[in-house]
Amino acid sequence: MLQTLSDWFWWDHLWLPRNLTWADLEDSEGYVYAKASHLYVTVLYAIVFMIARHFFERLIATPLAKMMGIKNQVRLKVTYNVVLENFFVSISKHPTRSQIEGLSKKCSWTVRMIERWFRRRRNQDRPSLMKKFREACWRCTFYLLAFSGGIAVLIDKPWFYDTWEVWVGYPKQDFKEQVIHHLATIILLSFSWCANYIRVGTLVMVVHDSSDILLESAKMLNYAGWKSVCNSLFIVFAAVFIITRLVIFPFWIIHCTWVYPIHHYPPFFGYYFFNVMLVVLQLLHIFWAYLILQMVAKFFSSKLDGDDRSDQEECDWSDDEDEGMKNGAGSKNNLAVNSHHSH
């Protein structure tokens, strides 16, 4: 049964042009082809990347953050309250006005104290500024290295300048020099690997990495408090995103995968599958571009404040009220527990 399903799934006519079979992708005549079994190595690479990220964030990103003036935020923990904690975990992190009033009566706390308890509790779950900076620094470095590596191996390839060359000689195309961009793939890139769509796969990755470098750099500067430089870099990011995702990607990459192949082979299932996935990706690009342009509009109207893509730290209550919260929390917490059990 499993063998039958496997044979059906890997049916040649689904993924390859009519006059080709998987046998044509066997290593021969000096050509070495990508194979589906090679994707298993991504598990090992994922472990290696996690280890590398750990040491990178500890030895490079953290010192860099401190150099840029970022400090670990000290967050005071909320006073534990059974009723509020259960509500927070199981019902809602953002209670409505009527729910807050109900909790106020149940806990014998003021509405203001309930609101501030939830604000502080939400802040506890948010990543610190240092953590967000380290993550952005890692992603920026990864995208920069991936983009640089992609350019290095593609710079002397004819299909980097003329996308018509992507399909010349397909599928007899060597993959070894483009393996950098196919280590971590999901559906689209896994298919490009299995069906030996190596050339177009690398072009897709390079187009995407170019703007991601700028985005993560802008987020790092934002976390460091370098607002003016961050805003300027964000404008550059927006311009690069629009050019690469809304111009180059549809009018060069998708045009290359939609128009050129039929000059070499009649359409087949894999051809439609790959292009549908690219179109879905393009629709996401349009959606993201809309959000980015909204942020740019806020910037020019002087309303852009912070990183709109990140969770914002909510304002905590004043020291005086916080002290009152601490002093009265013990007895009130006991009352809340009893109230909770009585219900």
Side-chain angles (χ1 to χ4, degrees), residues 294-304:
Q294 281 189 322
M295 295 174 67
V296 172
K298 290 180 181 179
F299 171 78
F300 283 112
S301 61
S302 300
K303 294 180 180 179
L304 184 60

Side-chain angles (χ1 to χ4, degrees), residues 1-2 10 38-39 42 49 89-90 131 141 143 153-154 160 165 180 193 200-201 214 237 239 301 332:
M1 180 63 179
L2 292 178
W10 292 109
H38 292 165
L39 292 176
T42 58
F49 274 120
V89 173
S90 60
K131 179 178 176 61
T141 303
Y143 291 139
V153 299
L154 290 172
F160 186 60
E165 294 289 333
I180 295 175
W193 183 272
V200 69
L214 297 171
F237 155 74
S301 61
K332 291 177 181 177

Side-chain angles (χ1 to χ4, degrees), residues 143 146-147 150 154 159-160 163 166-167 178 181-182 185 188-190 192 197-212 244-245 248-250 252-257 274-275 277-279 281-282 285:
Y143 291 139
F147 178 76
L154 290 172
W159 61 88
F160 186 60
T163 51
V166 166
W167 303 103
Q178 290 113 59
H181 275 296
H182 289 77
T185 61
L188 188 58
L189 292 180
S190 296
S192 73
Y197 280 27
I198 303 301
R199 293 179 178 179
V200 69
T202 55
L203 293 178
V204 170
M205 291 296 289
V206 166
V207 166
H208 284 75
D209 288 345
S210 57
S211 60
D212 289 338
T244 56
R245 309 284 182 102
I248 294 178
F249 188 77
W252 269 264
I253 306 300
I254 295 183
H255 181 267
C256 162
T257 62
F274 190 73
N275 280 286
M277 294 299 294
L278 290 180
V279 170
L281 189 57
Q282 181 57 36
H285 290 167

Side-chain angles (χ1 to χ4, degrees), residues 2 71 73 83 85 94 124 157 169 195 205 240 269 298:
L2 292 178
K71 300 178 180 179
Q73 296 164 294
V83 175
E85 184 67 24
H94 298 270
Q124 283 185 193
K157 304 301 185 295
M205 291 296 289
V240 172
F269 174 80
K298 290 180 181 179

Side-chain angles (χ1 to χ4, degrees), residues 275-332:
N275 280 286
V276 166
M277 294 299 294
L278 290 180
V279 170
V280 170
L281 189 57
Q282 181 57 36
L283 293 176
L284 290 174
H285 290 167
I286 295 172
F287 173 71
W288 292 329
Y290 169 74
L291 298 180
I292 290 171
L293 290 176
Q294 281 189 322
M295 295 174 67
V296 172
K298 290 180 181 179
F299 171 78
F300 283 112
S301 61
S302 300
K303 294 180 180 179
L304 184 60
D305 183 20
D307 178 11
D308 279 11
R309 284 185 50 164
S310 303
D311 288 334
Q312 298 295 316
E313 188 84 6
E314 297 180 78
C315 296
D316 217 338
W317 53 84
S318 66
D319 293 338
D320 291 341
E321 289 171 308
D322 181 46
E323 189 65 29
M325 180 87 160
K326 291 179 183 177
N327 294 334
S331 59
K332 291 177 181 177

